[in-house]
Structure formats: C-alpha cells, structure tokens
Amino acid sequence: MRFLAFGMLALLVSGKSVAVDEDASTIKQRIGSGDPATGRETSASERCQECHGQDGNSDDGRIPSHAGQYAGYLIKQLRDFQSGARKHPVMSVVAEDLSEADMADIAAYFASQKRRQDNSAGGNAAGGNLFSNGDQARAIEACANCHGEGGKGRSADNVTYPAIGGQHKTYLSGQLVNWKLGERTNSPGGVMNKIAKALTDDEIEALSTYLSGL
Ligand code: HEC
Ligand code: HEC
C-alpha cells in the first residue's frame, strides 16, 4: 500500500515536471505568430477577459477557458464566428470587428497562459476508455488520436486539434450535443458531427466528466 502510494506520488511529480518543461517547440507552435504581451492588453480593452477570465480561465462553466489553447484553433473559431460558419449570439457580435492582428495577439496571449483544470474530482472509467480507445465496433475513433495525449491538443497537417483536457464540463457536453444535433458544423469534413452522432447521452456525460478532470 505504502509502495503504491509512493509510486503514484512519483508519477504525479514526474507528470508535473513534464508539463513545466514542456518542449519549447510545442509551446512555440501553440502560441503561433501573435504577440502575447500585446494580446494581454487587447484582450483587456476588447473585454474578452470579462467573460473568458483575466488569464484565460473562465469562472462560468458555459464559457470556455482559452488558457493553454492552441492559438491557431482560437483564430479559426473567431474567423468562423465572423463568417457565420459558427453561430453564437454573443460571440458573433464580439468577433465582428476584430482585425487579423488583434486575433493573432489575443490568441497568443491566451495560448501562453496555464489552464486550470475544471473538475479536480475527475476520473470516469467509461469516458477514459472512449477517449483512449474509441469503439471500433461503432467506428468511433479514439479522441486521443486527434486531440492528443491528455487532451492537450495538437497541430498536424494544417489542422489544429483543440485542447479539450481540463475544459469546463458544462461547455464540453454542450458542444458535443451541438455537434450531435448539427447545431455546430464547422469542423473539417464534418468530422465532429460524425463522431458525436455515434455517442449516446450517457457517453457524452462520461466523456465530459473525464475530460474536465484532465
Ligand atoms: C459576454 C461574454 C463574452 C465575451 C465578452 C467574449 N466571449 Fe468569447 N465566448 C463566450 C461564450 C459564452 C462562448 C461559447 C460559445 C458557444 O457556446 O458556442 C465563447 C466562445 C469563444 C471562442 C470559442 C472557443 C472554443 O473553445 O471553441 C473564442 C475563440 C472566443 N470566445 C474568443 C473571444 C474573444 C477573443 C473575445 C474578446 C474579443 C471574447 N471571446 C469575448 C462569451 C464571451
Ligand atoms: C479525426 C480527428 C478527431 C477525432 C477522432 C475527435 N475529434 Fe474532436 N475535434 C476535431 C477537430 C479538428 C476539432 C476542431 C473543429 C473546429 O475547427 O471547429 C474538434 C473539436 C472538438 C470539440 C470542441 C472544442 C471546443 O473548444 O469547442 C470537442 C468538445 C471535441 N472535439 C471532442 C471530441 C471527443 C470527446 C472525441 C472522441 C469521442 C473527439 N473529439 C474525437 C477532431 C477530432
């Protein structure tokens, strides 16, 4: 028992140091070409911080945290709100007048911040299994294949897969339901609509519980 506890402690400690010493090229890729210092000011003057949090960690479960998110993903969403490819009564208006430079800087600032895990209770075996392994029988691909280990997101072949680990549970389940019902349709090739349509409501709940605890 004591041995087990020690093993887990070592794992926790080493897990932490990996996060702190995250490889420089990954951080650079996540932040992109914008300027975080300018973005800190623009996100304050444009009032993004009032909803999304001063450091990109929001206090409202319906409002996504942007801390640690890939800048390329945030910029794509802002462009999608501008074009109408993604619809939301508040964000469509808020995004309307942002310039490309503002978007790059704001996204770089939030990407450079550390995400605060939403749900420290975490843990959900069914959700964890779907995340890591998917379900071949129903052609559900493992989320981790695209969203990366720990749901930290990744960028590959010109597609940016958002960080979903540690995100608010309420926001995550809301988006999965939106994908499932076809109320959100802006993923490349409709990939998220296909995946979410195959998920049951219980699976969406399990995945959101698991992911928010990462
Ligand atoms: C009044 C509150 C409010 C303000 C102000 C606001 N947002 Fe949002 N934002 C939201 C909500 C709510 C959502 C979730 C939309 C949904 O459910 O689809 C969101 C979603 C987003 C997303 C999509 C994130 C994702 O993970 O897909 C981005 C990017 C974003 N906001 C950026 C900004 C920026 C940049 C600003 C400032 C220019 C801003 N927001 C100001 C409430 C706000
Ligand atoms: C084949 C790749 C792929 C797989 C597998 C995949 N996703 Fe995604 N997912 C994406 C992409 C790409 C986006 C970004 C869509 C966009 O640009 O709007 C996304 C977006 C999301 C979002 C929205 C995040 C936000 O901040 O709004 C959630 C939630 C999500 N995926 C959950 C999942 C879950 C849960 C699974 C597993 C059951 C999964 N995804 C499997 C590619 C994938």
Side-chain angles (χ1 to χ4, degrees), residues 46-48 51-52 62-64 66 69 73-74 77-78 81 86 88 90-91 94 98 106 167 171 175 184:
E46 292 288 339
R47 310 180 71 168
C48 319
C51 287
H52 292 285
R62 294 164 303 178
I63 302 179
H66 297 329
Q69 185 57 278
Y73 171 76
L74 295 173
Q77 299 311 302
L78 291 167
F81 286 125
R86 180 172 174 184
H88 185 265
V90 172
M91 280 311 305
V94 166
L98 294 176
I106 294 171
Q167 185 58 274
Y171 174 75
Q175 296 305 307
R184 180 171 169 187

Side-chain angles (χ1 to χ4, degrees), residues 1 100 128 157 177 206 209:
M1 201 50 204
E100 284 288 321
D157 306 325
V177 170
T209 304

Side-chain angles (χ1 to χ4, degrees), residues 73 76-77 142-143 146-147 161-162 171 184 186-187 192 195:
Y73 171 76
K76 175 183 182 286
Q77 299 311 302
C143 322
C146 289
H147 290 279
Y161 302 95
Y171 174 75
R184 180 171 169 187
N186 65 332
S187 64
M192 279 310 303
I195 291 171

Side-chain angles (χ1 to χ4, degrees), residues 128-202:
N129 184 39
L130 265 175
F131 175 79
S132 304
N133 306 314
D135 182 357
Q136 278 195 358
R138 291 183 294 154
I140 300 174
E141 190 178 341
C143 322
N145 285 357
C146 289
H147 290 279
E149 200 191 325
K152 287 186 189 308
R154 50 189 268 281
S155 184
D157 306 325
N158 291 324
V159 180
T160 307
Y161 302 95
I164 52 178
Q167 185 58 274
H168 292 298
K169 183 181 167 190
T170 307
Y171 174 75
L172 288 170
S173 59
Q175 296 305 307
L176 287 168
V177 170
N178 285 348
W179 295 119
K180 182 174 173 160
L181 300 178
E183 281 167 17
R184 180 171 169 187
T185 53
N186 65 332
S187 64
V191 62
M192 279 310 303
N193 295 109
K194 278 179 217 139
I195 291 171
K197 277 198 177 89
L199 299 171
T200 65
D201 293 348
D202 285 349

